[in-house]
Amino acid sequence: MLLLRQRVLSHLLSGAPSPSTSPLLSLHRLLSTAATAAPAVSPNPSFAVEEYLVSTCGLTRAQALKASAKLPHLKSPANPDAVLSFLAGLGLSGADVAAVVAKDPRFLCAGVERTLAPVVAGLTGLGLSHRKIARLVSLAPGNFRHTSVVSKLEYYLPLFGSIDNLLRPLKHCSGFLGSHLERVVKPNVKLLAECGLGASDVAKLFIREPRMISAKPGRVLAMVACTERLGVPRDSGMFRQALHTVSCFSEDKIAAKVDYLKRTLRWSDTEVGIAVSKAPVLLTRSNGVLQRMSDFLISEVGLEPAYIAHRPAMLTCSLEGRLRPRYYVMRFLKESGLLNHDRDYYSMVVVREKLLAQGRCLLHSHLHEPRSRKMDC
């Protein structure tokens, strides 16, 4: 009987239903088939969870050993069989099912008719396609086995703008789906709106840093305060980017980075504020990179610290790929009389590669002409 059950489930998981087939209809058909092949039985003393996870669910032996520790009360294959049939009805492949079970072994204990089927019906009512629902199961199985996920998505879908925007952060962090809407999520959204962030900005912020949406409101308020102390006011166009950067580090690490910027680039507190307000990403640059940038821009190029602070985009460029090569080109052109001596270095740094290529062509022409003339670019 066990062998017959495994063959039936293997057949179900080996093929996906037609996209035009209702997942609920497929589910009922598959459950009927599974029930006919293997009717529910009382706890079976010979049932081995680890072996079931390997032979029926497709887990590796190591995965099964780890997963079985989370299923100490599982004594019969009846409910897991129904769950596997449910997943097959949604269109998950055998590999997808194995990944779901490995990620959340307790998914096998979820009630199909009591929980999983109602969740599918609720999400379908919100406009999600069967394919998107299957993707949601794969990314957040632990949340999917709670009926509250329907009301959560009813709130999150308008907030993120689309199901695709919602699925993107779930690839890296699904914890926010379990956060309390009234006590955590909505207060955070309200705070960010009070900071002047529009719905689109809030969505972009949460997509890039989903943990912020589930952080304690007091923590988010502290992030806002830290961002403002760095010199980035709420009405700044860079506030969202700065807030995202701040959310990635502790306040101690941010303070340490600010001190390093001051020492390495010889900046005052005001100059640090100017630079960070224009390029918050500076806080993510490694100390080694910043030191090499300082050595080159201040010691070799001869730029003043204040000049760099007002043009921090330079510090986000590649030293070897852009800053150094363009400085040497500019110096050569000036020494050759092909470029005005008052040409600003920063203008050479930010010029588009296409225009620089045109400049190279002009340089090539000058080098092959008998007469010399200056480039007025």
Side-chain angles (χ1 to χ4, degrees):
M1 184 63 72
L2 180 59
L3 179 60
L4 177 59
R5 176 187 289 112
Q6 292 173 352
R7 287 178 177 175
V8 170
L9 289 174
S10 297
H11 174 71
L12 296 176
L13 295 174
S14 64
S18 168
S20 61
T21 304
S22 165
L24 292 179
L25 180 57
S26 297
L27 174 61
H28 287 305
R29 289 175 178 172
L30 294 169
L31 288 179
S32 298
T33 303
T36 301
V41 294
S42 58
N44 185 351
S46 64
F47 176 64
V49 175
E50 186 178 333
E51 188 59 36
Y52 180 88
L53 293 173
V54 173
S55 61
T56 306
C57 299
L59 273 64
T60 65
R61 186 63 64 178
Q63 288 175 323
L65 180 62
K66 182 179 179 180
S68 62
K70 299 180 180 180
L71 301 170
H73 304 298
L74 187 60
K75 305 300 183 183
S76 167
N79 198 83
D81 285 353
V83 170
L84 295 182
S85 296
F86 167 84
L87 294 176
L90 277 180
L92 276 74
S93 67
D96 293 333
V97 169
V100 167
V101 175
K103 182 182 293 186
D104 181 28
R106 293 188 181 92
F107 198 92
L108 293 174
C109 302
V112 173
E113 296 296 339
R114 184 181 67 256
T115 303
L116 300 182
V119 167
V120 169
L123 296 180
T124 301
L126 294 179
L128 271 65
S129 68
H130 304 156
R131 180 176 297 178
K132 299 299 183 183
I133 294 175
R135 183 61 175 156
L136 182 63
V137 174
S138 296
L139 293 174
N143 300 105
F144 198 90
R145 54 187 173 88
H146 297 283
T147 54
S148 60
V149 73
V150 177
S151 60
K152 296 286 182 67
L153 261 69
E154 187 175 10
Y155 174 79
Y156 281 127
L157 285 173
L159 180 65
F160 281 83
S162 70
I163 181 59
D164 289 327
N165 285 343
L166 179 61
L167 292 175
R168 282 171 59 189
L170 284 178
K171 297 176 183 178
H172 313 289
C173 174
S174 62
F176 68 91
L177 281 183
S179 298
H180 198 285
L181 288 180
E182 300 300 329
R183 292 200 298 263
V184 177
V185 178
K186 290 183 179 180
N188 286 338
V189 173
K190 181 181 179 182
L191 172 60
L192 295 176
E194 291 172 349
C195 291
L197 297 183
S200 176
D201 285 327
V202 171
K204 290 176 181 177
L205 185 61
F206 288 159
I207 289 171
R208 295 186 65 188
E209 187 52 54
R211 288 173 295 184
M212 180 177 285
I213 198 174
S214 58
K216 293 181 179 180
R219 169 61 180 148
V220 178
L221 184 61
M223 293 178 191
V224 171
C226 181
T227 302
E228 292 179 313
R229 286 196 299 272
L230 287 171
V232 188
R234 298 184 181 190
D235 58 357
S236 168
M238 297 300 292
F239 182 78
R240 174 173 62 82
Q241 290 89 331
L243 185 59
H244 169 257
T245 301
V246 167
S247 72
C248 298
F249 304 98
S250 67
E251 291 194 32
D252 289 342
K253 288 187 176 181
I254 292 174
K257 181 64 69 174
V258 168
D259 286 341
Y260 190 82
L261 287 170
K262 290 165 62 176
R263 294 195 310 272
T264 306
L265 292 158
R266 308 172 194 175
W267 285 343
S268 64
D269 288 332
T270 300
E271 287 168 339
V272 169
I274 291 171
V276 172
S277 67
K278 293 183 176 183
V281 72
L282 284 181
L283 297 175
T284 68
R285 301 290 269 174
S286 71
N287 290 352
V289 168
L290 291 172
Q291 182 64 62
R292 290 191 292 274
M293 291 278 190
S294 175
D295 292 341
F296 174 70
L297 294 175
I298 295 177
S299 303
E300 185 169 349
V301 180
L303 301 180
E304 292 295 327
Y307 179 93
I308 300 172
H310 284 82
R311 299 161 184 81
M314 283 191 293
L315 300 175
T316 67
C317 297
S318 168
L319 177 60
E320 301 302 330
R322 177 175 290 235
L323 296 182
R324 197 182 296 277
R326 294 195 177 194
Y327 170 67
Y328 292 147
V329 168
M330 183 185 74
R331 189 175 68 179
F332 172 78
L333 292 175
K334 286 183 177 182
E335 292 174 352
S336 301
L338 300 175
L339 188 66
N340 291 330
H341 281 276
D342 58 354
R343 180 73 181 202
D344 183 65
Y345 172 61
Y346 182 67
S347 65
M348 290 290 290
V349 171
V350 298
V351 69
R352 290 182 301 174
E353 189 65 31
K354 182 178 180 180
L355 295 178
L356 196 65
Q358 294 175 352
R360 294 193 190 99
C361 291
L362 290 175
L363 174 60
H364 183 271
S365 299
H366 279 295
L367 294 176
H368 289 80
E369 288 179 358
R371 58 188 180 85
S372 63
R373 52 191 176 89
K374 288 187 176 182
M375 292 173 58
D376 296 323
C377 56

